């Protein structure tokens, strides 16, 4: 069992990270919240979950051990596998996931790709007791300020963001529309920031 990785970031292609640990490159799937928390380069420490199925062996990484704990609770829910749990934690902040569960907010949960009404209802029913002790903050922080790129760099940022959202389960047209809307309203230089804003825009008010 691999429970923790500490190494150099070689690649960041959401939702995949490539981490060099002692000369060995580990491919790690991570939610967008972890991408936001990691530096552009340098050393990363990830709390990991190793998943083995009939078709694949996959490593999932999280910047925060509490988020990993939430991921492990999510995959215990009937019909929720690692891919869907990753989509939930990418489409919503962990605190927002817990708040939606505790408040029976089915609508918020069904905005995540792949989560239908029945799955959302199961999440609420099966997870309510598991997250009742989660400490929710009184309020959420604001967005970081960024500066707009230009030309080819901007196109690369948009392309990477669209690719990541499609990998998370959104349709290409949905991803393109959401990102175009964000680019009109915000000045963004990093794909992670663009993805975060686009995902947030797709959640109910």
């Amino acid at each position: 069992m691999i429970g923790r990785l500490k190494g150099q970031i070689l690649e960041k292609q959401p939702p995949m990270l490539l981490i060099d640990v002692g000369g060995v490159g580990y491919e790690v799937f991570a939610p967008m919240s972890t991408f936001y928390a990691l530096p552009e380069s340098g050393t990363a420490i990830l709390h990991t979950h190793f998943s083995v199925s009939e078709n694949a062996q996959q490593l999932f990484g999280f910047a925060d051990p509490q988020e990993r704990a939430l991921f492990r609770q999510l995959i215990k829910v009937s019909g929720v596998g690692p891919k869907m749990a990753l989509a939930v934690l990418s489409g919503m902040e962990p605190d927002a996931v817990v708040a939606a569960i505790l408040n029976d907010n089915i609508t918020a949960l069904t905005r995540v790709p792949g989560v239908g009404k029945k799955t959302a209802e199961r999440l609420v029913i099966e997870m309510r007791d598991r997250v009742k002790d989660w400490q929710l903050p009184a309020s959420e922080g604001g967005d970081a300020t960024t500066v707009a790129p230009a030309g080819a760099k901007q196109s690369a940022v948009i392309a990477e963001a669209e690719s990541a959202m499609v990998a998370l389960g959104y349709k290409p047209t949905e991803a393109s529309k959401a990102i175009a809307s964000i680019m009109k309203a915000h000045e963004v230089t990093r794909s992670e920031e663009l993805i975060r804003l686009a995902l947030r825009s797709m959640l109910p008010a």
Side-chain angles (χ1 to χ4, degrees), residues 164-200:
M165 291 188 68
V166 170
L168 291 170
Y170 288 93
K171 296 179 181 178
T173 52
E174 292 176 330
S176 179
K177 184 178 179 180
I179 287 170
S181 177
I182 293 301
M183 292 302 291
K184 289 180 180 179
H186 298 269
E187 296 182 344
V188 184
T189 58
R190 297 174 56 211
S191 59
E192 289 99 335
E193 177 70 5
L194 180 55
I195 296 165
R196 182 176 69 84
L197 292 172
L199 289 171
R200 181 171 291 182

Side-chain angles (χ1 to χ4, degrees), residues 87-115:
V88 170
L89 293 174
S90 291
M92 303 173 68
E93 295 289 335
D95 288 335
V97 175
V98 173
I101 291 169
L102 293 177
N103 295 322
D104 295 341
N105 191 344
I106 302 298
T107 300
L109 293 170
T110 55
R111 294 297 296 272
V112 175
V115 179

